[in-house]
Amino acid sequence: MQVFKRGIRKSKVLPTKQAAKDWAARTEWELENSEAVASAQPFGEIMDRYAREVSPLKRGHRWEFVRLEKLQRDSLAKIRMGDLRASDLADWRDRRLSEVSAGSVRREMTLLGAVLTQAAREWGLIKESPLKDVRKPAQPKARDRLPTNEEFERLALVAGDDLSHATARAYHAFRFACETAMRAGEIVGLRREDIDLENRVCRLHMTKNGSAREVPLSTAAVELLRMLPDLDPVFGLNSQQIDVLWRKVRTKAVIEGLNFHDSRAYALTKLSRKVDVMTLAKISGHRDLSILLNTYYREGAADIARRLD
């Protein structure tokens, strides 16, 4: 049985003809009246529905869930859907810019845009997203923070070299990331069966962009893996542990402004001196080459000239 109303198509298989008729009648009424019902709903309820029904289907669901939960405490969430205007979202944007970075606001706007698009296209609750008329803050300048040799030494001293301790393995994971450009989430999910030391390859089954990829291992990366105790997952850490322990090590080492993710920039900067940008994209999993060219591919004209000899 199929129902098409107000530009929305729904279908369902039911056991009997009467059940199908009942479902069709109820669905048509819901579609016909959904906008009127939704207009009285606070925006926060729509966020909550998105967090429950849509976010769990995504790899980054934990970030979305936490962020939407916080957004539901903002005054923006109390506005009824029927009253929500671009000016309300612009006011929220300006308030957030006084609290967090432009990059954070852009990410939150992308999330709110996804919620409103879902409400319009899939749920038929509004005609269109009012966020489309709201300007995003300017793209912030890319981070240019790489760990120094001195910082590596201080981190190593604080973490220790006994890899039976989780703290030492957290720093070990950072060093591994500096060799492979793998993300923290990819590293903690690495299992023994995913590693081929003979061919020096790690196989990642699910990455941030939702696709699998193979990561080549340098000699140093292979050695780092061989040093680890017999654990599975290989580093014996989960995402929360590696985040907490890394911050602990960094604080004790009195290092400011260095994130775990900066290891990815360090690795890609180093690799960019050895491989072309297409190969670099294959290693990193980037689909947008402009990110690599503008952020990680730091080779200067003089460096390129030397390679032309």
Side-chain angles (χ1 to χ4, degrees), residues 3-289:
V3 171
F4 185 78
K5 198 81 170 178
R6 302 175 68 85
I8 302 171
R9 187 183 303 276
K10 290 193 174 185
S11 63
K12 188 173 184 178
V13 177
L14 294 119
T16 66
K17 186 176 182 180
Q18 185 58 48
K21 287 183 177 180
D22 292 342
W23 175 83
R26 183 173 63 255
T27 302
E28 283 189 355
W29 185 91
E30 289 174 350
L31 292 175
E32 185 66 37
N33 293 276
S34 60
E35 190 170 332
V37 173
S39 66
Q41 283 185 285
F43 185 27
E45 290 186 9
I46 307 304
M47 293 187 212
D48 181 63
R49 179 179 175 183
Y50 188 94
R52 288 184 287 103
E53 298 182 13
V54 181
S55 293
L57 305 177
K58 302 181 181 181
R59 181 171 175 80
H61 67 278
R62 184 176 179 274
W63 178 86
E64 284 198 357
F65 185 83
V66 171
R67 188 54 50 195
L68 286 169
E69 189 177 51
K70 183 173 183 178
L71 286 168
Q72 288 173 60
R73 296 195 292 269
D74 189 273
S75 59
L76 179 70
K78 299 176 182 178
I79 300 174
R80 298 189 305 173
M81 290 297 288
D83 298 329
L84 187 63
R85 300 289 183 268
S87 57
D88 299 312
L89 292 158
D91 176 67
W92 165 83
R93 175 203 60 198
D94 295 341
R95 285 190 288 106
R96 285 298 284 158
L97 283 171
S98 68
E99 301 168 348
V100 296
S101 69
S104 295
V105 176
R106 286 176 63 91
R107 287 190 290 273
E108 291 180 359
M109 288 183 72
T110 297
L111 177 56
L112 288 178
V115 174
L116 291 166
T117 298
Q118 178 78 14
R121 296 181 181 176
E122 297 287 335
W123 296 335
L125 302 179
I126 52 177
K127 290 182 180 179
E128 60 181 4
S129 168
L131 192 63
K132 68 180 182 61
D133 296 322
V134 181
R135 177 183 53 81
K136 283 187 176 182
Q139 181 73 41
K141 184 179 178 181
R143 281 180 62 84
D144 192 23
R145 178 67 161 93
L146 301 178
T148 65
N149 290 334
E150 181 190 0
E151 287 173 335
F152 274 119
E153 292 174 0
R154 286 156 62 184
L155 289 166
L157 183 63
V158 169
D161 56 8
D162 185 353
L163 294 177
S164 65
H165 294 157
T167 300
R169 293 199 303 276
Y171 171 62
H172 205 72
F174 180 77
R175 291 177 59 197
F176 184 72
C178 286
E179 290 294 328
T180 62
M182 287 171 62
R183 302 176 177 91
E186 295 167 347
I187 291 174
V188 297
L190 201 58
R191 307 193 72 89
R192 292 286 170 185
E193 63 190 29
D194 302 324
I195 300 172
D196 182 351
L197 290 181
E198 183 177 348
N199 293 306
R200 291 168 45 184
V201 170
C202 279
R203 297 182 180 87
L204 304 180
H205 303 290
M206 183 60 73
T207 62
K208 183 180 179 180
N209 61 25
S211 61
R213 80 172 189 274
E214 291 188 340
V215 179
L217 301 175
S218 64
T219 301
V222 170
E223 182 58 29
L224 288 170
L225 289 174
R226 293 189 187 280
M227 293 168 65
L228 287 166
D230 188 13
L231 299 170
D232 206 17
V234 176
F235 282 85
L237 300 167
N238 59 38
S239 295
Q240 184 177 4
Q241 287 174 317
I242 198 170
D243 180 59
V244 170
L245 292 172
W246 160 254
R247 291 172 185 271
K248 177 182 175 182
V249 170
R250 183 188 60 188
T251 299
K252 286 189 174 182
V254 196
I255 295 174
E256 296 182 359
L258 183 67
N259 298 333
F260 189 100
H261 197 68
D262 291 328
S263 61
R264 185 165 164 85
Y266 181 91
L268 291 174
T269 299
K270 184 166 58 175
L271 289 167
S272 70
R273 303 188 185 107
K274 301 178 182 180
V275 301
D276 60 82
V277 70
M278 295 299 292
T279 303
L280 195 64
K282 188 173 183 180
I283 294 171
S284 68
H286 278 99
R287 291 179 176 175
D288 186 351
L289 294 183

Side-chain angles (χ1 to χ4, degrees), residues 273 276 297 299-309:
R273 303 188 185 107
D276 60 82
Y297 205 74
E299 194 171 35
D303 299 318
I304 297 173
R306 283 191 289 271
R307 291 173 60 183
L308 297 178
D309 293 338

